[in-house]
Every structure is written in structure tokens, then in C-alpha cells.
Amino acid sequence: MATLKIVFWICLALVVYTYVGYGVILWLLVRLKRLFLGNTPTPSLPADENQLPTLTLMICAYNEEEVIPEKMENIRQLRYPSSKLCVMWVTDGSSDRSNELLSQYPEVTLVFSPERRGKAAAMQHGLRENRSEIVVFTDANTILNAEALQEIVREMRRPGVSCVSGEKRVAARHEGQKAAEGEGLYWKYESRLKYWDSELYSAMGAAGELFAVRMEHYRPAPSNALLDDFMMSMLILEDGHRIAYTSKAYATEYGSADMQEESKRKRRIAAGGLQSIWWLRQLMNPFRHPKVFFQFISHRVLRWSITPLALLAIIPLNALLVMMNAGTVYTIIWLLQILFYLAAFAGWLLTVRGRKSRLLYVPYYFLFMNMNVFLGIRYLMTHRTSGTWEKAKRG
């Protein structure tokens, strides 16, 4: 029984630490850093526009004709000197009217290949045509705030920074769009962790909705990478350069149309996470990467690998301990587990019926995310040699 108890408490501690404990510890470490070292001053932009770096805003798009007009209107509202900005669309494999529509915009540099090899390969194709100092990546279906490029350049002026991650914001197209509400709630918490990570030392990766790299320190992600944006940013970190995070540059997109579409995203992210952990395993070595290993393991590795297994193992372990009369505390935890899973089931039931309850939706979305980690294992087995993936329909 003693061994069973130890395993149970280890599993429970992993779950609590991954989703709550790390955030608390990170917040405390940031507070201590501010106390002893003070707040880091925000860099200023050059007064002379001619001293600003050249930027390429790159959009890798596959059959995105429906969003091109809105995206181009958004790009034209960005506050950055046109003489310093190149707008590049990479439409490899697109078979719709994307190229025809983009040809109507004189400021667009169009890069195209008839073969579709995945987003990572498309990014590398576009980068071979790039001539700018900094490349900013964004998705076709996102809307950037007008100051996004300026804020990215500002963060690039921090010492040691060669990659900048903007903030992802999720909008619901209509009230009660559960997939968007769940995703948005998750990203609010995730954004806070990224902010603290960045302030402590470095953010642990960037999201493809909006991020930038300094080409001097760029390393290509493998062409079969499922999380090309994450891999590209983490390879920069592996080489000793920091990833800054700013909420002042943000990309807004609609959430997934429904939970089935959201599951497509989660499976791919889970599969890409497992793939990335293996490729970036050197970052878990505290002797080679003493400033990174703690954040990488706590924020990424546990969430994408061990913790979902621990969450699943808690159920039978707890049941066995209750049946063995191990103590009152195990009975209490068992009852709390039952209540949690009943709440998650009720959240799912309300979602299916189109009704709304944020209190019940939180446990449902939490379990939904972790269940997709297991589905992601199967996804990885079928996508190991290709970086192509099916897009999730947005709301």
C-alpha cells in the first residue's frame, strides 16, 4: 500500500504543479527578480524612421481566398514605414483564387509553388526570397493591431532578444460559441504564463498567429514539423538567444467553429508538442541549458507528455486506495474527483444542447485538452514524415 500511496501523490502533485503550481512559482520568482533587480526599462524606437530595421511580413496561406481582402485591409492599417516593409504571401499548393486576388495588390510579393509540402516548407520557401533583417510571421485569418510591428521592433531592441512572440486573442463570432470561449479562457491563462516566462528569462516558444525572428540568428525548422512556429522559435532559444513576449502586439482570430473542429487543432498541437520535445531534448539538460531547462520542463514538457498520463492514473489509483481503506483523505479526494468529472460531463451536456455555463465549461475544456493529448499520439504516428495538416474551420 505504501508504494501505491507514493505513486498516487506523485501523480497528483504533477497535475497540480503543471496547471497551478508552476504559475504560482513563476509569479513569485518574477516578483523576487523585480525586488532585487528592479523593472527592466522598455526600449524606445529610433526617432528617425530611416534607422528602423527592414521587415518582411510573411503570410503562409493555403486556399485562403475568403480572407484575403480583410487581411490586406488590415495590413494597410499597420503603422510602419512602407519603405521599410515588404508584404510577402507564400501560397504553396493553393488551388483557389488566392494568387489572382493577391496580384491586385501592388505592395504584395507573391511566392508560389504548385506543390503543397506543409507550412514549415512554405516558410522556408518564403525565407529564401527574403531580404529583410526581421521577418514577422502571421496567419491569413488573423487581424493585427495597428501598432503590432512597432511593438515587435521595440522588443527586438532588448539585449539578447532574437525572437518576439505577440499575443494571441480569441474572439467568438456569436454569443455561446463554446469552442471560442474555452479557447479564449485557456489563452488568457497561457498568455499570463508567457509574460512571466519572458520576464524571468525567456518565453518558451512562439505561436504562429504572430511572431518575429531576427534573420541573423534564424535556424530552419524541420520540413515535417507539425509546430513549425514553436520549433523555429525554440531553435533560436537553443542557440542562446532569448524569446521576448509582448501583449502590445496581438493577433485576433475567431475560435474554432465547434468542439470537433477544435479537437483537430488540439490533436495537431499535442502531436507537434511530443515531436518537438524529442527534437529539443537537449534543453532539458541543466548543465547545457541552466537558464532554460526549468521553464521548458515545467511549461511545455510536463503538459505535453507526463501530466496527462498522471491525470489518467489518478482515477484507478485513488479507487484502489479507497477500496483498501487507506484513509479518510483518499475518500475525500475520490469524492472531489467524482464531482469534478460530473461537472465536466454536465459541461459537455450543456455544450451539446447549446446552453451556457462557464463554471461547468472549465472542467469540461480541461479534460477535453488532456484527452486530445492521447489522440495526438495517434496523429503523430500518421504524420511523422509530413508537415501538412487539415485546417480547423473557424467560427
Side-chain angles (χ1 to χ4, degrees):
M1 185 186 293
T3 303
L4 201 62
K5 288 181 178 180
I6 292 171
V7 175
F8 170 79
W9 286 110
I10 289 174
C11 289
L12 185 61
L14 277 171
V15 173
V16 174
Y17 174 75
T18 301
Y19 292 105
V20 180
Y22 176 60
V24 173
I25 292 172
L26 195 57
W27 176 79
L28 289 172
L29 290 174
V30 168
R31 297 278 293 189
L32 288 171
K33 183 180 179 182
R34 291 175 187 170
L35 180 64
F36 290 103
L37 300 179
N39 292 323
T40 305
T42 302
S44 58
L45 294 174
D48 183 0
E49 287 187 350
N50 292 322
Q51 295 181 7
L52 287 169
T54 53
L55 296 185
T56 290
L57 180 64
M58 185 180 295
I59 305 102
C60 295
Y62 173 71
N63 288 350
E64 293 282 10
E65 64 178 4
E66 293 181 358
V67 300
I68 286 174
E70 184 180 14
K71 183 68 175 181
M72 286 305 303
E73 178 63 28
N74 175 234
I75 289 173
R76 287 178 168 177
Q77 294 174 2
L78 298 177
R79 294 173 187 166
Y80 205 79
S82 58
S83 61
K84 294 283 186 174
L85 179 63
C86 169
V87 179
M88 181 184 292
W89 284 75
V90 184
T91 59
D92 287 1
S94 291
S95 56
D96 63 355
R97 296 178 58 249
S98 293
N99 293 346
E100 179 185 342
L101 291 173
L102 289 168
S103 66
Q104 300 172 16
Y105 297 91
E107 68 268 39
V108 168
T109 297
L110 181 60
V111 178
F112 172 71
S113 169
E115 183 182 1
R116 186 191 181 200
R117 294 181 297 150
K119 188 176 178 182
M123 293 167 91
Q124 292 174 25
H125 186 191
L127 289 172
R128 288 194 294 271
E129 304 296 324
N130 170 65
R131 300 294 179 268
S132 300
E133 301 166 64
I134 295 171
V135 176
V136 181
F137 299 92
T138 184
D139 288 341
N141 61 347
T142 60
I143 298 299
L144 309 183
N145 62 310
E147 300 80 15
L149 300 183
Q150 293 177 340
E151 294 302 328
I152 284 172
V153 169
R154 191 189 305 276
E155 291 299 316
M156 279 288 188
R157 294 170 66 85
R158 293 186 186 275
V161 170
S162 286
C163 178
V164 176
S165 174
E167 182 172 278
K168 173 183 175 178
R169 298 186 180 182
V170 181
R173 192 176 291 274
H174 54 79
E175 186 178 359
Q177 188 183 339
K178 293 300 184 180
E181 292 171 1
E183 189 183 352
L185 189 65
Y186 165 76
W187 272 102
K188 286 178 183 178
Y189 177 63
E190 179 68 14
S191 296
R192 181 50 54 179
L193 291 182
K194 286 184 177 183
Y195 177 77
W196 289 332
D197 269 334
S198 179
E199 189 169 353
L200 183 64
Y201 175 64
S202 172
M204 291 296 108
E209 287 76 15
L210 179 60
F211 78 106
V213 298
R214 193 189 305 278
M215 290 308 299
E216 180 184 359
H217 299 138
Y218 159 75
R219 280 176 59 191
S223 59
N224 61 329
L226 295 171
L227 293 184
D228 39 77
D229 40 20
F230 178 76
M231 274 301 302
M232 189 184 297
S233 59
M234 292 299 285
L235 288 172
I236 289 174
L237 181 62
E238 188 178 49
D239 285 344
H241 312 289
R242 294 171 51 221
I243 304 169
Y245 175 82
T246 176
S247 60
K248 294 180 180 179
Y250 55 87
T252 304
E253 68 176 357
Y254 290 114
S256 300
D258 52 43
M259 296 308 293
Q260 185 176 354
E261 295 298 317
E262 178 67 358
S263 182
K264 292 180 184 178
R265 291 185 62 256
K266 293 301 182 188
R267 276 177 280 173
R268 178 179 62 84
I269 291 171
L274 291 169
Q275 184 187 58
S276 302
I277 288 171
W278 176 249
W279 284 339
L280 298 167
R281 57 191 180 277
Q282 292 184 5
L283 290 178
M284 291 184 271
N285 186 334
F287 301 103
R288 296 190 63 174
H289 298 279
K291 294 182 179 180
V292 176
F293 85 98
F294 163 67
Q295 289 176 278
F296 181 53
I297 291 173
S298 299
H299 195 164
R300 296 302 185 188
V301 176
L302 291 178
R303 190 182 296 188
W304 283 337
S305 58
I306 301 172
T307 299
L309 294 172
L311 181 66
L312 183 64
I314 287 173
I315 302 171
L317 289 171
N318 200 173
L320 285 171
L321 288 167
V322 169
M323 288 187 290
M324 296 167 69
N325 294 317
T328 306
V329 65
Y330 298 101
T331 303
I332 293 173
I333 294 173
W334 177 247
L335 292 173
L336 290 174
Q337 279 205 84
I338 292 174
L339 288 174
F340 177 81
Y341 284 100
L342 285 174
F345 176 75
W348 169 79
L349 201 59
L350 287 174
T351 301
V352 170
R353 296 179 177 180
R355 298 174 64 185
K356 184 177 181 180
S357 171
R358 176 165 292 189
L359 180 64
L360 296 176
Y361 191 75
V362 169
Y364 164 53
Y365 195 80
F366 175 79
L367 289 179
F368 171 81
M369 287 194 305
N370 281 279
M371 286 172 59
N372 277 284
V373 171
F374 296 101
L375 296 175
I377 297 173
R378 181 182 177 185
Y379 188 100
L380 181 59
M381 293 298 102
T382 58
H383 291 74
R384 284 180 296 181
T385 59
S386 173
T388 60
W389 39 273
E390 183 183 0
K391 293 187 298 182
K393 296 177 182 178
R394 292 290 172 174

